Amino acid sequence: MSQRIPVTELTPDFRGRAEEALADGQLRNNFRVAMDSLMTKRANAFPDADEREGLRELGNRIKAGALSRLPDLLEQLEQKLTENGVKVHWAETVEEANNLVHGIIEARKGSQVVKGKSMVSEEMEMNDYLAERGIECLESDMGEYIVQLDNEKPSHIIMPAIHKNARQVSKLFHDKLGEPETEDVNQLIRIGRRTLRRKFMEADVGVSGVNFAVAETGTLLLVENEGNGRMSTTAPPVHIAVTGIEKVVPNLRDVVPLVSLLTRSALGQPITTYVNLISGPRKPDELDGPEEVHLVLLDNGRTGAFADAQMRQTLNCIRCGACMNHCPVYTRVGGHTYGEVYPGPIGKIITPHMAGLDKVPDHPSASSLCGACGDVCPVKIPIPELLQRLRQENVKDPEQPQQVKGGGAKYSRTERWIWRGWQMLNTRPALYRSFLWAATRFRALAPKKAGPWTENHSAPVPARRSLHDLAARHLDQNGGRSS
Amino acid sequence: MSARGNILGKLRDSLAGTTPRPDEFDEQLVTRPWRYAPGDRLARLRSLMEAVHTEVHQCRSDNWPELVAELLNKRNLANLLFAPAKEHGRALQAYFEATEQNVELLAYDQPVEAWKEELFWNVEASLTGTLGGIAATGTVVLWPDRYEPRLMSLVPPVHIALLKASEIHDNLYDMMVAQDWAAGLPTNVLLVSGPSKTADIEQVLAYGAHGPRELIVLVLEDA
């Protein structure tokens, strides 16, 4: 694997990257087209609003119910999986998780890993960790394969290569694989199929994520369209699944509404081509399937979010991507602008628990609070409300204990004093009146520069007469009557 | 303290003094919108599966092997992976031998490690049974076993699945409950709703990503 050059670190801050993205017509067009199409597909997949709302409510209840007894469910899941022959591992940090994965691979003397799509493995930056230790970790989802080949990161959690068009993929395959250039998508997919098929066959270990883990039966459920998930979890002799601790649901029947919500919200499909339920390694009389199955349960800040009853709702997320598809900000700036594993509205509310709010202080305010994300969320996470909460956490006094990791990064003493002054002014009538008198009389002295506001607007100038003044004069002229 | 202990400890601390939410599962929500008259189930399954490029044929238990031969010949396929130990496997083999078909019948009768290269590159088609179908989503359900292992329905470019019309359920919930899946699942259960596909490049739909390029479902109307 060539050295990774993360695109996300080219410009260090969100604002800078957003400006670059906004100036990139190709990128904006790629996203606009894709998001419009995904929104239409979702709308068509839910033709009956009552059915949709009933199902969203149920999805919310299942996830909230699962979280309300999460530790018990995790223990039940562990017990059932262990009975089924699956080895369960726990990791508090991504380092621990990587270490566990590496240990499993080393024990098998493995050198080639093939990976189905897994956002948790992106959190872990597993590919880099393993590459540094001489293990090739190849992405096998077509989109993930494309971004990995170009040393990039996914720009969308469901459609990782959505920022690229066929011409760009063709050039990439030509440059990196020596394939003849073609903009025929079928041809490009055939190239990917051929290249990866050998890898599936040769891989020592397959890595996957998990969409839902069922405590009742000890089952790992994965949805996908390509078959790479099935390949990664079936062909190699070892399967390692990595997932966040929030993915567990109590009963098998719970996956019926959740899978329906997931595939319809994500892609507008009634169901994905494959729904793969794995409940154990190969049995003695079976002829294929992995000899070992491992599950790594990762915390990485999730217990922090869990500790706050309001922020806990972020753990309802089933990673469908509908919030980003419907976000006017995401559509314009694209996934890489966020600079983190999870972009878009959901990224804004889960990243602070993983990386710390101080690492992404601009994210909560990069929203018009239009509410589309909350309206489409299949498990009814109140994303706009959580964004407002994070805005508050952002400006809390850093000297005080923080409720959200890295809170208080945007605290400004000046801003705090300005608001205090504003409050005093507006709650003391005498002071307010004299301010009004002064502001209107000395309006010519109003500052010409008012921070970022005057970068794009003319400076506000107080009126010659205040509204109070005008109203009082009007009443005088009409003998106390308003008209 | 172990990672396990720390994680569970933090979660328990956060839940101190709270009571778990009651189980409020409402099966009506996942069944009522997805009910069909018995005569409509097959049509619904068929139209959904065809919408995602599945080839669906309606046939009978006495003529399907003939149709399989026809489908293979039309595609010029040289071999077919099948399960000789299963009832449908025996029927297929008897027909192919009696009619001296040109297609080589292959059995998955050894661990995958013994013939991985051949399975991945030389097998052109496979035929498996199914546990049933789901009308609501246009899905066939596979429970791979000793005779029809997991890779059998995934690796060959063409997968032919036999589905008994009487085993088409309205929706996944009904099927799960009718067959009591929660009491015990096999190593692997698969819901398959078409040939492998991807829309990862420009959202253009392409079939045959990593799994079968073609899925052919033979519905046995009298079974």
Side-chain angles (χ1 to χ4, degrees), chain B residues 11-85:
Chain B
L11 295 176
R12 293 222 154 88
D13 284 349
S14 303
L15 288 177
T18 64
T19 45
R21 290 174 58 135
D23 183 358
E24 298 169 299
F25 195 89
D26 180 356
E27 62 171 63
Q28 294 296 318
L29 291 168
V30 288
T31 52
R32 209 172 37 205
W34 315 105
R35 292 244 181 264
Y36 311 94
D40 295 340
R41 281 183 200 140
L42 173 55
R44 161 98 191 176
L45 175 122
R46 183 170 183 150
S47 74
L48 281 173
M49 293 205 89
E50 284 177 343
V52 287
H53 284 218
T54 308
E55 202 174 303
V56 182
H57 296 276
Q58 290 169 232
C59 44
R60 293 189 320 272
S61 23
D62 61 353
N63 71 356
W64 68 264
E66 192 184 328
L67 182 58
V68 171
E70 206 181 296
L71 292 166
L72 297 175
N73 289 330
K74 199 171 85 186
R75 288 170 175 78
N76 240 337
L77 298 175
N79 58 46
L80 175 73
L81 186 62
F82 84 121

Side-chain angles (χ1 to χ4, degrees), chain A residues 229-254:
Chain A
R230 285 180 68 191
M231 283 282 193
S232 307
T233 58
T234 314
V238 180
H239 168 209
I240 307 173
V242 292
T243 194
I245 52 171
E246 80 283 18
K247 289 289 175 71
V248 60
V249 295
N251 301 306
L252 186 63
R253 59 165 196 217
D254 295 330

Side-chain angles (χ1 to χ4, degrees), chain A residues 37 143 166 193 226 253 285, chain B residues 6 23 146 196 200 202-203 211:
Chain A
S37 143
R193 176 185 174 100
E226 295 187 3
R253 59 165 196 217
D285 70 323
Chain B
N6 287 340
D23 183 358
R146 165 83 173 70
S196 152
D200 273 358
E202 283 191 12
Q203 285 207 299

Side-chain angles (χ1 to χ4, degrees), chain A residues 33-35 37-38 41 51 54-55 58 60-62 64-65 67-72 74-75 78 90-92 96 140-144 146 158-162 164-167 169 185-186 188-190 192-194 196-198 200-201 203 216-217 219 225-228 230-231 233-237 245 251-257 260 264 269-283 285-291 297-299 303 306-307 312, chain B residues 1-16 18-27 29-31 33-34 44 48 52 108-113 115-121 123 134 136-140 142 144-159 171-174 176-177 180-213 215:
Chain A
V33 171
M35 298 306 113
S37 143
L38 286 168
K41 284 181 184 162
E51 188 265 341
L55 207 58
L58 180 59
N60 175 276
R61 287 204 298 259
I62 292 170
L67 292 176
S68 77
R69 44 201 204 91
L70 184 58
D72 295 346
L74 286 168
E75 282 180 328
E78 181 185 41
W90 303 70
E92 286 186 89
E96 277 176 34
S140 65
D141 172 270
M142 289 290 182
E144 291 271 358
I146 290 165
I158 303 292
M159 305 236 151
I162 201 69
K164 280 184 159 37
N165 59 21
R167 193 171 40 76
V169 175
V185 171
N186 277 299
L188 292 168
I189 294 299
R190 238 167 273 157
R193 176 185 174 100
R194 200 176 54 230
L196 287 163
R197 185 155 273 237
R198 179 147 295 281
F200 287 126
M201 202 194 77
E216 177 184 29
T217 52
T219 300
N225 283 316
E226 295 187 3
N228 67 306
R230 285 180 68 191
M231 283 282 193
T233 58
T234 314
I245 52 171
N251 301 306
L252 186 63
R253 59 165 196 217
D254 295 330
V255 306
V256 177
S260 181
R264 289 201 275 169
Q269 293 180 204
I271 193 167
T272 42
T273 302
Y274 303 116
V275 177
N276 182 1
L277 294 96
I278 299 166
S279 303
R282 183 192 308 196
K283 293 201 174 106
D285 70 323
E286 290 175 338
L287 300 177
D288 63 15
E291 292 149 15
L297 290 164
L298 175 65
D299 179 350
T303 48
F306 190 84
R312 187 179 301 161
Chain B
M1 200 61 168
S2 66
R4 180 183 187 278
N6 287 340
I7 292 171
L8 291 173
K10 284 185 201 169
L11 295 176
R12 293 222 154 88
D13 284 349
S14 303
L15 288 177
T18 64
T19 45
R21 290 174 58 135
D23 183 358
E24 298 169 299
F25 195 89
D26 180 356
E27 62 171 63
L29 291 168
V30 288
T31 52
W34 315 105
R44 161 98 191 176
L48 281 173
V52 287
Y108 200 145
D109 52 8
Q110 50 188 334
V112 62
E113 289 74 18
W115 71 304
K116 218 172 189 178
E117 188 84 30
E118 195 191 342
L119 172 65
F120 270 73
W121 302 102
V123 177
I134 300 168
T137 48
T139 301
V140 292
L142 308 180
D145 59 16
R146 165 83 173 70
Y147 306 104
E148 291 180 345
R150 295 163 69 167
L151 290 172
M152 191 163 167
S153 59
L154 178 66
V155 174
V158 178
H159 174 214
N171 52 68
L172 174 58
Y173 184 84
D174 281 358
M176 221 175 234
V177 171
D180 198 13
W181 288 14
L185 288 169
T187 311
N188 190 210
V189 175
L190 294 158
L191 314 186
V192 176
S193 308
S196 152
K197 64 175 186 278
T198 184
D200 273 358
I201 302 176
E202 283 191 12
Q203 285 207 299
V204 176
L205 200 53
Y207 286 90
H210 295 298
R213 262 193 286 267
L215 173 66

Side-chain angles (χ1 to χ4, degrees), chain A residues 319-385:
Chain A
R319 308 284 191 266
C320 71
C323 59
M324 51 197 83
N325 300 344
H326 290 75
C327 178
V329 176
Y330 176 89
T331 303
R332 283 165 180 80
V333 301
H336 287 153
T337 297
Y338 296 83
E340 291 295 328
V341 176
Y342 300 98
I346 187 64
K348 290 178 198 172
I349 59 172
I350 58 177
T351 305
H353 310 292
M354 297 175 181
L357 189 52
D358 50 348
K359 188 148 178 261
V360 287
D362 288 327
H363 285 197
S365 42
S367 164
S368 64
L369 294 180
C370 73
C373 49
D375 289 347
V376 298
C377 176
V379 285
K380 301 186 91 167
I381 303 173
I383 302 176
E385 185 188 308

Side-chain angles (χ1 to χ4, degrees), chain A residues 59-227:
Chain A
N60 175 276
R61 287 204 298 259
I62 292 170
K63 289 297 290 188
L67 292 176
S68 77
R69 44 201 204 91
L70 184 58
D72 295 346
L73 285 180
L74 286 168
E75 282 180 328
Q76 189 191 353
L77 176 73
E78 181 185 41
Q79 192 203 328
K80 279 286 166 189
L81 283 170
T82 309
E83 284 171 21
N84 295 349
V86 177
K87 291 203 180 90
V88 180
H89 312 262
W90 303 70
E92 286 186 89
T93 61
V94 294
E95 290 77 19
E96 277 176 34
N98 276 322
N99 206 3
L100 281 166
V101 170
H102 182 233
I104 297 165
I105 299 168
E106 264 208 322
R108 299 284 302 210
K109 300 198 168 37
S111 63
Q112 285 193 56
V113 175
V114 70
K115 211 172 94 184
K117 222 184 120 25
S118 155
M119 290 310 295
V120 167
S121 73
E122 295 285 344
E123 277 178 47
M124 292 160 63
E125 299 191 315
M126 185 196 287
N127 297 354
D128 298 335
Y129 185 92
L130 294 178
E132 284 160 18
R133 284 151 188 83
I135 296 166
E136 181 195 64
C137 190
L138 196 71
E139 296 288 347
S140 65
D141 172 270
M142 289 290 182
E144 291 271 358
Y145 176 64
I146 290 165
V147 297
Q148 185 184 33
L149 207 57
D150 210 8
N151 300 314
E152 285 187 329
K153 285 188 175 185
S155 59
H156 188 282
I157 64 170
I158 303 292
M159 305 236 151
I162 201 69
H163 56 290
K164 280 184 159 37
N165 59 21
R167 193 171 40 76
Q168 293 165 318
V169 175
S170 161
K171 188 164 179 332
L172 180 69
F173 282 4
H174 177 73
D175 294 349
K176 297 282 171 88
L177 305 173
E179 296 285 345
E181 292 207 40
T182 171
E183 288 184 32
D184 176 6
V185 171
N186 277 299
Q187 199 60 40
L188 292 168
I189 294 299
R190 238 167 273 157
I191 295 169
R193 176 185 174 100
R194 200 176 54 230
T195 315
L196 287 163
R197 185 155 273 237
R198 179 147 295 281
K199 299 291 181 179
F200 287 126
M201 202 194 77
E202 291 171 350
D204 305 302
V205 174
V207 170
S208 78
V210 174
N211 290 103
F212 304 105
V214 183
E216 177 184 29
T217 52
T219 300
L220 308 176
L221 183 147
L222 281 89
V223 301
E224 55 146 346
N225 283 316
E226 295 187 3

